[in-house]
Amino acid sequence: NEGVFGVTIAVLGSVLLLAVGLPLAMFVARQRPSLILERALDPDVHRMLYLSVYAPLLAALVSVIFGVPLALALSRGFPGRTLVASLVDLPLVVPHSAAGIIVLFGFGRGGAFPQLTVLGTVTGMVLAMVFVSAPYAVNSAREAFEAVDDRLEYASRIHGASRFETFRRVTGPLAVRGIVTGGVLAWARSVSEFGAVAIVAYSVRFFYPPAGREVTSQHAPVFIRKAYLTGGLDQSGAVTFLLLLVSTAVFLIIR
Amino acid sequence: NEGVFGVTIAVLGSVLLLAVGLPLAMFVARQRPSLILERALDPDVHRMLYLSVYAPLLAALVSVIFGVPLALALSRGFPGRTLVASLVDLPLVVPHSAAGIIVLFGFGRGGAFPQLTVLGTVTGMVLAMVFVSAPYAVNSAREAFEAVDDRLEYASRIHGASRFETFRRVTGPLAVRGIVTGGVLAWARSVSEFGAVAIVAYSVRFFYPPAGREVTSQHAPVFIRKAYLTGGLDQSGAVTFLLLLVSTAVFLIIR
Amino acid sequence: MTLSVDVEATFTARGADPFTTAAAFEVKRGETAVVLGPSGSGKSLLLETVAGFHSHDGSVALDGTDLTPKAPENRRFGFVFQNYMLFPNMTVAENVRYGDRYHETTGDAAELLAELGISDLADRYPSTLSGGEKQRVALARSLYVRPDVLLLDEPLSALDVPTQTRLRQDMLDVLDGVTAVYVTHDRTTARTLADRILVMNEGRIVQRGTPDAVFDRPTSQFVAQFTGSNCVPLDTDDLRSAVDGSGNAEYLAVRPENVRLDNGSGDVTARVERVVREDAVFRVTLAVSDHRIDAYTTDPPAPGSSVGVSFEESASTLL
Amino acid sequence: MTLSVDVEATFTARGADPFTTAAAFEVKRGETAVVLGPSGSGKSLLLETVAGFHSHDGSVALDGTDLTPKAPENRRFGFVFQNYMLFPNMTVAENVRYGDRYHETTGDAAELLAELGISDLADRYPSTLSGGEKQRVALARSLYVRPDVLLLDEPLSALDVPTQTRLRQDMLDVLDGVTAVYVTHDRTTARTLADRILVMNEGRIVQRGTPDAVFDRPTSQFVAQFTGSNCVPLDTDDLRSAVDGSGNAEYLAVRPENVRLDNGSGDVTARVERVVREDAVFRVTLAVSDHRIDAYTTDPPAPGSSVGVSFEESASTLL
């Protein structure tokens, strides 16, 4: 009976592990190194990688800079807090391409800021990324703030520190891990995003420092799909492999 | 000083709230009810909604049925646990369209199961969804299992219950909330997924009971992008609005 | 510095019913007032309210100056928490000197650490300390800011018994000359440290007075039981006739150390049910009719034997 | 049922160094062995190892039958936890009868609840109970399966003092005739409940014996201090000459209740530093040379006065 239970668990658990691990293993096994090398030397791929690191970084910075104060307010509570918390979580369940459509309605033509061009710009790309990734930055920081015992803040204040000083010397330093994790998660989520970016900024013109001028490229997930449609599975596989190296680096930072 | 800190937090926090809330508000405000009604009565939209609820449900079921045993094993610990936990989390940071490519390498032509057709099938769609959503089901269940005090299980066993009985009467019932939450999260994540599904199963043939025959449709996020490319922002906005109603229902279940 | 408190505060814990605590009391300069009550009686909430952490009705005043509108950081209080609440990201010395930049006059950190016997810990981080050491650091941190009033919330109750006993003794030196409000559920601590005791139950002060007054003359069944008195229902004739001339009382409250045992004589006859050795004395459990009465004695009778029991009028209370 | 334990187990808590506990002892049928030690001394780990929750070297045997290969559910033990560990998804009655389907003979749940004074709680859920009530339910749950051996891990230490005192008394009835291993850091509980005491420190048993033997004749400085004895360094001539004829001892261990005070005469002269009222007696802190000695007395001298102090040879130990 004991053994049966253990074996059942192991067998059932292994099925899911296969569903995730097998494609990954097959994917790695079926790569052709020559093709990967060729793509790794392609300037088009370099531009894509630059854009795919840089724009998510901007999005993560925005999410952290404005998300940490929001997280602090949420962790303390204020009237309407539940509503705001729900609003912050909403993008998590909005289908990805729907998020792109929503960003276009908000900031595109006829939207809130007529001077702003989002379609095909880095601005639009970053706005789409912030929309889908801000919840991660806010929730991670919020959990970190909530994990700080209220009475540690009491101890700080009763011994003379103001709210701000308490944040600077106690709450902030104790939550810094959670804030950084939130930023990394937001970055990773932005790197992953395909749907919203494909709608708002399929191809993007941006200043590319190595070339010293503006160039056009795509966000990595878009680039991969394009490679698949035009070059087939092998071509897109090589690009995916390169991108996975970057993703794995991100992943190791998170853990 | 006190007031300044509070105001600074409120102002900075509000910026992020605007970046998320403003597009949502503008999106809702700019919808045309007549167009929404027209789309709501369109049989094509019905097929899409059926597929977009049904396939994610299959994916969530698979993730829960095979994910709960894995979560239980992970919560208890075994040799290689850290490696397995990393493997389970990996899909979270794999870019969405890369996930689709990886699934094709694993289960597509030349993959692990030659008899299996994944390109354009419900099977492929569900496999892609499981790949991206299983981590949610596993992690939620795992956290729920870890939240059960070891000594509650000790108390069960010392008073005569085997491992299996302890799971059935104590650990399982106490973790059931987390398991259900994990299932709902996996479902919501599958509903949202655009990148992986667009690569593996852009258009899908499936049996549609109301018609009594096989039909072709797309997963909602794909359908939205198609509507945007062929019908413009207004057309896709109406479909997005319908889908958001469904998403919001999901969202309310989660909370 | 006389602290005057007259507050009423309501607190809602996550998922619990709202709980109201209300109290009016004064603590004179240099005195220690101990708030004694069971867990959940609202004594911690009261202390946190005095510190300014919760909004409340009424006022907290120091020498007639109303502190109610002041934020906690402007009240010049010290606070010692049950679970220490040392800043984990700072060394012991940094913890102690935390209030440095907010106070013009402070104590001498090195001297405080020496007095509390923890000079050698100055450069350690809190996570490496034992419970007793942590609480000494927390004490030093609070004393360092030379608080007008020191507030202490069950500072001993997370410690094991020998550490408790040692720190309770040292606490007497610490509190000497300090105006303090000390919250505890432990009657030994209350009796050791208090100049005045406020007994709290269900958010209200139910009795107040000197330790001897509260312990020897409880005014209610609750206080009698909580301070360790026997509280015997007077529902049998022989018990009633032995102690209650007027016939109006419902309970006899008498401390175990005031129950006299002798062979054969006494107010009533009791059977010895059990004899248990406590630190200095024996606790004898007696059965009188259907009731249990505890007595402390250094010369215990044999279990199962019959003894005479007498209650001195001067050392027992009718409720 | 004689329980024989001879085990060594190593445990690694998350992020901590591995900790090893080792002990060999026997508990005879119907006896209560109390493992007494400070927190972190490995006594809970030892108890959990005996229960079968951790892998270990050595063996656990009952009447000569080796239980080591048996899973916890096949050992026929009962276990009472510090934090109750009631199943929150079951009523009190369901908790008590949890072992029903795994045992052929069980106790009578209603009777057990009645004996423990909690009959009226049968249909309540654990979250609605007080700490004392929860622990009574946990006791009933363990007794219900008629365990060969009852293991108790600090069952009183999460309770407030009056509840502790009451349950400690009732525990005497519960443990009557039951073979039990009881783990605690509280010496009063140990002295009240133990047939034999095993004093544990740093993962090892450092002294064992009857309560009186362990409390009155500690064999080490640690045991002396942990059981509440004074442990005075014999580093001055007058103290040494007063008590130690041979001159080999380093410490004098003497219980506070065995320190005799009289005016003027006595082995040494001491100054009265402090007098504190404890429940039944006064704790007098004396200064002898640079050392502090505590004494219990019912007739305390005035603080600041000088008194003679004598240590009876029969009631003090040289270490």
Side-chain angles (χ1 to χ4, degrees), chain D residues 130-275:
Chain D
S130 72
E133 291 166 346
K134 282 183 192 163
Q135 202 55 294
R136 285 167 195 272
V137 176
L139 269 169
R141 176 177 66 181
S142 279
L143 295 170
Y144 181 74
V145 298
R146 294 186 186 276
D148 288 344
V149 179
L150 184 60
L151 308 172
L152 305 102
D153 186 8
E154 304 252 19
L156 301 180
S157 65
L159 305 171
D160 62 22
V161 176
T163 310
Q164 250 180 45
T165 308
R166 237 167 303 139
L167 194 50
R168 192 189 292 134
Q169 298 285 318
D170 294 346
M171 202 63 96
L172 274 167
D173 295 328
V174 168
L175 296 180
D176 190 32
V178 173
T179 312
V181 184
Y182 188 112
V183 156
T184 183
H185 67 253
D186 179 47
R187 63 171 186 264
T188 307
T189 302
R191 195 158 201 180
T192 305
L193 301 179
D195 293 305
R196 286 168 57 81
I197 288 179
L198 310 161
V199 186
M200 195 150 196
N201 190 31
E202 294 179 352
R204 291 282 177 285
I205 291 177
V206 292
Q207 189 173 351
R208 61 182 82 205
T210 63
D212 285 349
V214 169
F215 277 70
D216 292 340
R217 297 281 169 198
T219 56
S220 64
Q221 211 191 331
F222 169 79
V223 175
Q225 286 175 339
F226 196 74
T227 55
S229 277
N230 292 290
C231 195
V232 191
L234 296 177
D235 53 5
T236 56
D237 285 344
D238 57 340
L239 207 55
R240 178 175 292 279
S241 65
V243 297
D244 181 20
S246 68
N248 296 325
E250 287 179 59
Y251 291 93
L252 169 74
V254 56
R255 296 200 63 75
E257 58 266 29
N258 295 335
V259 177
R260 302 264 164 272
L261 307 183
D262 38 298
N263 294 324
S265 74
D267 295 341
V268 291
T269 306
R271 204 171 58 78
V272 178
E273 287 217 322
R274 190 180 282 149
V275 176

Side-chain angles (χ1 to χ4, degrees), chain A residues 75 81 146 149-163 165-171 173-174, chain C residues 14 48 51 53-54 71-73 77-79 81 83 85-90 98-99 101-103 141-142 145:
Chain A
S75 75
R81 157 198 177 144
E146 283 175 353
D149 197 313
D150 282 352
R151 285 166 303 167
L152 272 176
E153 303 185 1
Y154 290 173
S156 166
R157 297 197 62 198
I158 201 74
H159 297 119
S162 65
R163 274 183 202 281
E165 282 282 298
T166 298
F167 178 77
R168 198 177 64 75
R169 297 182 69 190
V170 179
T171 322
L174 293 179
Chain C
R14 248 170 257 243
E48 292 180 359
F53 302 140
H54 305 293
E73 59 265 34
F77 287 171
F79 203 111
F81 296 85
N83 290 314
M85 294 299 140
L86 300 181
F87 306 121
N89 51 333
M90 301 179 198
Y98 186 80
R101 59 187 83 172
Y102 316 119
H103 292 81
R141 176 175 66 180
S142 279
V145 300

Side-chain angles (χ1 to χ4, degrees), chain B residues 152-162 169, chain D residues 53 72-73 77-81 84-85 87 95-96 98-103 138-145 147 150-151:
Chain B
L152 271 176
E153 303 184 2
Y154 290 173
S156 166
R157 297 196 61 196
I158 200 74
H159 298 120
S162 65
R169 297 181 69 189
Chain D
F53 301 140
E73 60 265 33
F77 287 171
F79 204 111
V80 179
F81 296 85
Y84 328 122
M85 294 299 140
F87 306 120
N95 265 283
V96 172
Y98 186 80
D100 215 358
R101 60 187 82 172
Y102 315 117
H103 293 81
L139 269 169
R141 176 177 66 181
S142 279
L143 295 170
Y144 181 74
V145 298
L150 184 60
L151 308 172

